[in-house]
Amino acid sequence: MIAVTPYLAQHRVLVAKANGKHSPEWQSCKVLGVTVVDDEPKYVIEIYHGGTSSLTTTDEVKRLERGNPL
């Protein structure tokens, strides 16, 4: 992993709706670095859910405006 200065961003997830369909939604995360998985670059992100956090990778993030507080 190549570490970067952590910054707040959003990553895309599929969310199940009441009608049984899924739709994409942007959720908050913190970008911690970049790595390679199966020869593809991925962002290493920290996500929050239910009062806990976990690390995962994603291939797309949307950086929030510059100067956002951590």
Side-chain angles (χ1 to χ4, degrees):
M1 178 181 97
I2 300 170
V4 298
T5 301
Y7 60 90
L8 296 179
Q10 294 179 328
H11 68 111
R12 192 184 314 216
V13 296
L14 286 178
V15 177
K17 300 296 181 182
N19 62 7
K21 296 186 178 183
H22 292 80
S23 64
E25 186 176 286
W26 290 96
Q27 294 184 356
S28 297
C29 67
K30 186 190 306 181
V31 176
L32 303 175
V34 179
T35 192
V36 175
V37 177
D38 297 328
D39 294 326
E40 294 291 325
K42 303 280 184 178
Y43 293 97
V44 177
I45 60 172
E46 183 178 23
I47 56 174
Y48 309 95
H49 45 85
T52 62
S53 66
S54 60
L55 297 179
T56 189
T57 59
T58 187
D59 53 356
E60 183 179 16
V61 296
K62 184 167 54 172
R63 186 178 186 142
L64 299 178
E65 64 184 65
R66 296 222 183 257
N68 60 43
L70 284 178

